[in-house]
Amino acid sequence: MTNMPELARRSPTPSPYAPNAILRWLYRRFFAHIRVDENWSRGVREAASKGVVVYVMRSLSFLDFLCLDFLLKKFGLPLVRFVNDLGLWILEPFGKGERRLSLRRQIPEAEALEQTVGDGYSALLFLRRPPKFGSQARRGRELDIDLIETLVAKQRTCSQPILLVPQTFVWSKRAGTARPGPLDLLFGPVQWPGRLRVFFQFLLNYRDAKLCSGEPFNLQELIANNPDLTDAQAANKARYALLRRMERDRAIIIGPMKKSSARLQDELLRSPRVRAHIERYAGEENISYAKAEKVARKQLRRLCAKQSLFVVDVSHRFLSWVWSKMYDGVDFDTEGLERVREAARDASLVLLPSHKSHIDYLVLSDRLYGHAMMAPIIAAGDNLSFWPIGVWLRRGGAFFIRRSFHGDTLYPALVEAYIRKLLVEGFTIEFFLEGGRSRTGKALPPKYGLLSMLYESASKLHGTKVKLVPVSIGYERIIEERSFVHELSGGDKQSENVGDLIKSSSILRSKWGRLYVQFGEIIDFDEFQKETMERAGGELQDMDALTPEQKKNAVRALAHKVMYSINEVTVVTPAALVATALLSHQKRGMTRASLLSACEDLISTLDGMQARIAQQLRIGDGRIRADTIDEALHLFLDARLIIAHDTGPEPIYTIDSERRIALEYYQNTIIHFFVPRGLISAALLVDTEQWVDITRLNDRVQQLSKLFKHEFMYRTDATFDDIFQDALRDMAKDGEIEVRDGYAQATEGAMRHRLERYAAMLQTFFESYLLALRGAEIVLDGPIPKKDWYKRTLALGQQMYLAGEIERRESLSKLKLETALKALQDYRLIQLNGDILERGEGVESVADLHALEPKITGFLR
């Protein structure tokens, strides 16, 4: 303990830095533009409430000190009373007036730091100096005095925790390069810039400068958890952790160290795994290794991205203008983003967004970059690699993959090796698990190809953590609406070309509502591996011990876990809500009052499911906003999807039969929330008896869920019985059904209308599957190309619609027939041989098909 004479001899505690008038003007002129991590001030404030805050920065910089000082004062945070290696004269009152210079060296820095922290004040420590002029060193120089060791020693005698809070200023938009250039030798590398480089980086980029703060490092906990460490060892451990955290924070914003495309390709071709595949390919093709390697290099050139931060930045500025023209706003999940940012601090990320539009490629990258995260490397189909768009997308971070790997054993190995390389280097990867865009609004069944490669790559990585991030990207109106309706109605899919994109410039003259980006639960790949091992019996020691079938099952489970998470966080938009209310209405038209009532009812149900409701749908007290519903109606009126009839005191809204298929797209974006209740409602209302045995009800719903297993995404964390019981319990809790002594019945009155609405949401699927069953009779006449079968079946559907056997025009959908075909294959009614449909083993005559019809028509009310 310090005695009184020693205390009397101590110098007074330094006060915060007080800039002169010129510096105060510079503060306001330049530093006010710095973008600060949204959680920065809160994090520093929380750290200050727990102990003494010591700010830590990587590389010695007077400019960084000035900026930090400005921001601490601006946000009212603990001010710096000590800073190392800039000269103690910078802070008062170590000296006054003419005595300042003579006193600047009287107090050793270690003693001054110990005194400052001991008095409970904050300090700023720089960990390294920039490399010397002309040095080829890729890291900063060590300082003369180890002040971290001083803090460790002080912590041993101090009851209050000392918290080291990493601070990272990002002045440059460039990540470091693996090979130093002339500027790096003269002015220091980007990661450890010298004074001149810092100054010019600041002048060029001060409007885009960013500050982020890492997780505080608690010295008290370090000492408690490592009692055997000496002060020097503990200091080294703390310094290493801090430098890693700050480097990761920089990489989150500007990306990891860049390598040229040629160097990356050379490293891939030198990989033992890739070399083995090239040798195998050379043997298969009966060519020399040199020729096979030439083929591999050519494929890599076509595959690899060439991301340029300049292109990313220019694209962001352009797209910000485009979004302002197209959309009324962008609802971005900032809370979810912070979870993503935190996950990126210790892992390579794989973003897995939903895929509904071509602009999905642009939306997520742009929004991340706008929120101080580097744009990901994106897997794109080679149909988008056409000139000139393909060149720009590649420079923006896209790598182009063939739609099919069939017949080429080398190409898949190169794609997998490239993905593994990106993960090891620390890049964020993005790809669409659905493969293609959803034309129906529903999430598509996942494709397993790229995910299998990712699974294999991540399983083989040691020391590199991988985390998967499900992302929902939603739109109030989709810009591909017209082309989607054309395809759904049986038209051929048209490939993208420059002309189409030029024509699409007209979208800037329209408003498309709002755009929504939401992040789902982050999946730690290591934890998922452990769960996989436990399901495999818990006896296996590593993933290599899994059988191929077990690996396939693990990939499927992972894919469905991601897709279900995407569905969970999909926003209920005003357009989706209005479309659902209109399409589930059983009468020809709907008054505005009835529509508002239906929307209130739907939101009440969705609230119970904890669905994410668009903020603009609510008034402060939780009631629905009528003006928001009116805006959604006007959106559909402008698109001519609905018709308003002003023939009375309030408008009546109807839907033209030809436009129902377009409106259904928006209903389908949220239909997954209602599928369990819809299946139960359909199975319950079909029964003429008032009370229905729950066991029998369970059997019916299970049959329906199997019938529609290719149509809807079900929960992966529970059995069917658990899902059924949960839905039944929730419906009873909401008063929609009554459950008593093992029996259930629909509640009469308004609640019965809810069940009818849920069942009506699925009516179009029952009708489409009935049409597919009727279409199966065509196959009895002999094999038929699938394309011809679609045309003839849709023509048959038109007849059934006119005859009244099919009530809803949107049931005549080519994509619904595609999923219905899969169900017919499951029931062995048809079989697919390439693109040829043939009679299945489970049917001998048309009578067999007719016998199955009541199992579908019974649910059509």
Side-chain angles (χ1 to χ4, degrees):
M1 185 171 179
T2 306
N3 57 41
M4 290 301 293
E6 287 177 338
L7 188 62
R9 289 196 300 270
R10 290 172 60 187
S11 298
T13 302
S15 60
Y17 175 63
N20 58 37
I22 295 176
L23 279 178
R24 286 198 299 272
W25 178 82
L26 290 174
Y27 271 21
R28 293 190 299 271
R29 174 68 177 82
F30 293 102
F31 298 162
H33 295 284
I34 296 173
R35 283 194 287 170
V36 178
D37 184 334
E38 294 179 6
N39 293 321
W40 175 73
S41 60
R42 184 173 69 247
V44 173
R45 216 178 299 278
E46 288 177 0
S49 68
K50 298 175 183 176
V52 180
V53 169
V54 176
Y55 307 100
V56 180
M57 292 185 174
R58 297 169 75 243
S59 184
L60 185 67
S61 168
F62 182 60
L63 182 62
D64 285 5
F65 163 71
L66 293 178
C67 293
L68 180 65
D69 180 67
F70 168 76
L71 292 171
L72 293 177
K73 290 171 180 173
K74 177 180 178 180
F75 288 93
L77 299 172
L79 300 179
V80 171
R81 306 255 181 161
F82 170 89
V83 59
N84 65 310
D85 282 73
L86 290 182
L88 295 179
W89 55 270
I90 202 170
L91 300 176
E92 296 286 0
F94 278 104
K96 291 185 178 180
E98 71 281 356
R99 297 174 55 208
R100 180 179 300 163
L101 293 179
S102 64
L103 290 175
R104 60 178 293 188
R105 294 296 183 189
Q106 277 191 339
I107 307 173
E109 286 193 326
E111 182 181 331
L113 173 62
E114 185 178 358
Q115 176 184 330
T116 301
V117 174
D119 290 342
Y121 295 109
S122 292
L124 168 62
L125 295 188
F126 294 104
L127 298 183
R128 294 184 182 275
R129 296 178 184 273
K132 289 184 177 180
F133 180 83
S135 170
Q136 295 191 23
R138 305 302 297 156
R139 55 184 299 178
R141 294 177 290 150
E142 293 185 0
L143 300 174
D144 298 332
I145 304 173
D146 188 351
L147 294 178
I148 299 291
E149 186 175 344
T150 302
L151 290 177
V152 171
K154 181 63 180 176
Q155 181 66 85
R156 294 188 189 277
T157 63
C158 183
S159 60
Q160 196 174 19
I162 298 175
L163 300 167
L164 308 181
V165 185
Q167 306 293 309
T168 304
F169 279 103
V170 180
W171 302 116
S172 172
K173 296 179 181 179
R174 288 183 55 211
T177 55
R179 182 173 299 172
L183 290 179
D184 297 329
L185 298 177
L186 291 174
F187 304 115
V190 173
Q191 307 96 304
W192 301 93
R195 293 178 181 177
L196 280 177
R197 187 159 203 159
V198 168
F199 178 72
F200 283 111
Q201 285 176 348
F202 170 74
L203 286 182
L204 292 173
N205 300 302
Y206 72 90
R207 291 184 179 274
D208 295 314
K210 305 172 186 70
L211 169 65
C212 59
S213 179
E215 180 184 356
F217 191 94
N218 191 319
L219 283 183
Q220 192 175 67
E221 290 181 359
L222 173 67
I223 294 170
N225 294 334
N226 302 273
D228 297 332
L229 293 180
T230 65
D231 290 354
Q233 290 171 335
N236 287 336
K237 191 177 183 71
R239 187 183 303 101
Y240 177 75
L242 289 165
L243 286 170
R244 278 186 61 84
R245 289 183 187 183
M246 287 186 280
E247 181 55 39
R248 196 66 191 176
D249 286 338
R250 287 186 78 258
I252 290 171
I253 297 174
I254 61 176
M257 185 177 292
K258 296 294 188 293
K259 295 179 179 178
S260 68
S261 181
R263 175 168 177 172
L264 199 64
Q265 292 167 25
D266 287 340
E267 291 180 1
L268 284 170
L269 293 173
R270 288 197 299 266
S271 162
R273 287 195 185 98
V274 172
R275 289 176 67 85
H277 282 288
I278 294 175
E279 288 176 2
R280 192 176 302 119
Y281 177 78
E284 291 171 356
E285 300 295 323
N286 196 24
I287 58 177
S288 66
Y289 181 89
K291 288 185 177 180
E293 185 181 48
K294 190 175 180 180
V295 172
R297 188 177 293 277
K298 184 177 180 180
Q299 291 182 345
L300 283 174
R301 279 200 300 269
R302 293 179 176 176
L303 170 70
C304 295
K306 296 180 180 178
Q307 192 176 50
S308 160
L309 197 54
F310 170 77
V311 172
V312 172
D313 188 66
V314 171
S315 298
H316 169 66
R317 297 173 190 274
F318 172 70
L319 289 172
S320 297
W321 173 77
V322 170
W323 305 146
S324 68
K325 291 289 185 181
M326 289 177 57
Y327 297 105
D328 296 324
V330 179
D331 285 7
F332 192 73
D333 181 9
T334 53
E335 290 184 10
L337 176 67
E338 291 311 310
R339 289 188 286 108
V340 174
R341 199 190 303 276
E342 186 62 34
R345 288 192 165 103
D346 69 344
S348 294
L349 300 185
V350 180
L351 305 176
L352 299 169
S354 57
H355 197 16
K356 293 183 170 62
S357 170
H358 272 317
I359 66 172
D360 293 339
Y361 292 100
L362 307 174
V363 168
L364 186 55
S365 293
D366 178 65
R367 291 294 88 194
L368 288 174
Y369 185 76
H371 286 79
M373 284 192 72
M374 186 56 189
I377 305 296
I378 310 170
D382 60 358
N383 60 316
L384 292 176
S385 63
F386 57 86
W387 189 89
I389 299 299
V391 176
W392 187 263
L393 292 177
R394 193 184 295 273
R395 300 293 289 177
F399 65 100
F400 298 104
I401 299 179
R402 298 177 191 167
R403 290 291 185 182
S404 173
F405 298 170
H406 183 69
D408 190 338
T409 58
L410 179 60
Y411 188 73
L414 295 176
V415 174
E416 183 179 332
Y418 182 59
I419 290 174
R420 185 164 56 248
K421 185 69 172 176
L422 291 174
L423 293 174
V424 170
E425 296 288 334
F427 288 95
T428 296
I429 302 174
E430 174 189 337
F431 66 88
F432 300 101
L433 198 50
E434 296 163 275
R437 292 169 295 159
S438 170
R439 269 75 170 169
T440 64
K442 292 190 294 90
L444 296 176
K447 300 289 191 299
Y448 304 120
L450 268 183
L451 189 65
S452 297
M453 292 182 178
L454 174 72
Y455 188 90
E456 287 292 332
S457 298
S459 299
K460 293 182 175 72
L461 295 178
H462 301 288
T464 301
K465 289 178 67 69
V466 177
K467 294 183 180 180
L468 285 68
V469 185
V471 187
S472 170
I473 303 176
Y475 307 85
E476 280 209 79
R477 273 193 66 206
I478 201 81
I479 62 174
E480 294 97 337
E481 185 180 284
R482 185 174 299 176
S483 64
F484 283 177
V485 170
H486 172 75
E487 291 178 39
L488 289 169
S489 302
D492 293 331
K493 178 184 175 182
Q494 297 178 348
S495 60
E496 292 76 10
N497 55 59
V498 178
D500 291 335
L501 290 173
I502 292 173
K503 293 175 188 175
S504 70
S505 62
S506 61
I507 64 175
L508 297 177
R509 297 193 294 271
S510 304
K511 279 291 185 182
W512 303 87
R514 298 183 73 83
L515 192 157
Y516 302 85
V517 179
Q518 301 286 311
F519 298 98
E521 179 185 355
I522 297 173
I523 301 169
D524 188 307
F525 184 79
D526 290 340
E527 292 179 6
F528 180 81
Q529 275 188 319
K530 291 178 184 177
E531 295 172 5
T532 301
M533 302 296 282
E534 290 172 2
R535 285 195 298 268
E539 300 177 357
L540 303 177
Q541 297 300 314
D542 57 62
M543 296 302 293
D544 291 335
L546 291 177
T547 66
E549 188 60 31
Q550 286 174 323
K551 287 185 179 181
K552 282 183 180 180
N553 291 336
V555 171
R556 291 191 192 103
L558 182 58
H560 284 273
K561 184 180 179 74
V562 170
M563 295 308 302
Y564 187 78
S565 179
I566 290 173
N567 277 343
E568 272 191 314
V569 298
T570 296
V571 172
V572 179
T573 68
L577 190 69
V578 169
T580 302
L582 288 169
L583 288 171
S584 60
H585 188 60
Q586 297 295 300
K587 297 181 181 178
R588 182 179 296 110
M590 197 173 194
T591 65
R592 180 177 179 275
S594 296
L595 179 64
L596 287 172
S597 176
C599 290
E600 289 268 16
D601 213 29
L602 288 168
I603 280 192
S604 175
T605 303
L606 290 162
D607 273 335
M609 300 176 187
Q610 297 183 326
R612 300 191 182 189
I613 313 292
Q615 292 182 355
Q616 65 269 29
L617 275 168
R618 307 277 200 181
I619 302 179
D621 57 2
R623 290 182 293 114
I624 197 168
R625 289 186 57 170
D627 58 335
T628 300
I629 299 299
D630 289 336
E631 288 175 5
L633 286 168
H634 283 299
L635 203 66
F636 289 149
L637 286 168
D638 291 343
R640 299 180 182 178
L641 299 186
I642 61 175
I643 303 169
H645 303 272
D646 296 316
T647 57
E650 61 176 334
I652 297 174
Y653 299 99
T654 61
I655 313 169
D656 185 275
S657 62
E658 297 295 324
R659 306 299 289 162
R660 291 183 67 92
I661 199 167
L663 198 64
E664 187 190 37
Y665 179 97
Y666 302 102
Q667 173 188 264
N668 283 346
T669 61
I670 62 170
I671 197 171
H672 55 273
F673 290 114
F674 299 101
V675 168
R677 296 191 186 212
L679 294 175
I680 290 175
S681 299
L684 191 62
L685 295 175
V686 73
D687 208 306
T688 57
E689 299 178 16
Q690 188 173 13
W691 288 93
V692 179
D693 183 274
I694 290 179
T695 302
R696 187 169 64 178
L697 182 65
N698 180 296
D699 290 341
R700 284 181 190 163
V701 175
Q702 190 167 25
Q703 290 175 13
L704 290 177
S705 67
K706 288 180 179 178
L707 176 67
F708 293 130
K709 73 176 184 179
H710 300 291
E711 200 74 57
F712 304 115
M713 208 71 60
Y714 304 120
R715 280 171 55 190
T716 58
D717 61 344
T719 64
F720 167 80
D721 288 337
D722 291 337
I723 297 171
F724 174 79
Q725 290 296 336
D726 288 347
L728 206 66
R729 183 184 62 251
D730 291 341
M731 293 175 76
K733 180 182 176 181
D734 291 344
E736 297 168 351
I737 61 172
E738 296 178 47
V739 177
R740 187 187 308 163
D741 300 328
Y743 287 83
Q745 74 165 359
T747 304
E748 291 300 323
M751 286 302 176
R752 185 180 181 87
H753 291 311
R754 277 195 183 184
L755 268 64
E756 292 172 350
R757 181 182 295 121
Y758 300 151
M761 292 180 193
L762 303 184
Q763 181 177 339
T764 179
F765 299 99
F766 282 110
E767 291 183 345
S768 291
Y769 279 53
L770 173 62
L771 173 58
L773 188 60
R774 290 277 182 89
E777 297 179 21
I778 298 172
V779 181
L780 298 182
D781 296 333
I784 181 174
K786 187 164 62 171
K787 186 175 180 181
D788 294 342
W789 182 83
Y790 284 137
K791 289 182 179 179
R792 290 182 60 179
T793 304
L794 286 172
L796 173 63
Q798 183 66 23
Q799 296 174 9
M800 294 173 66
Y801 173 72
L802 294 173
E805 291 183 85
I806 288 178
E807 183 178 313
R808 302 199 169 206
R809 183 69 178 77
E810 63 268 30
S811 301
L812 310 184
S813 164
K814 180 181 177 181
L815 293 185
K816 286 197 186 78
L817 288 178
E818 283 186 7
T819 50
L821 265 182
K822 295 177 183 177
L824 294 180
Q825 287 178 267
D826 291 343
Y827 287 94
R828 298 188 303 128
L829 301 179
I830 62 168
Q831 60 185 23
L832 193 60
N833 185 7
D835 285 331
I836 304 298
L837 291 178
E838 300 175 350
R839 180 200 303 241
E841 297 175 358
V843 58
E844 294 183 0
S845 67
V846 70
D848 295 328
L849 298 176
H850 290 170
L852 294 172
E853 280 194 18
K855 295 184 178 181
I856 296 178
T857 56
F859 295 100
L860 293 173
R861 303 181 67 253

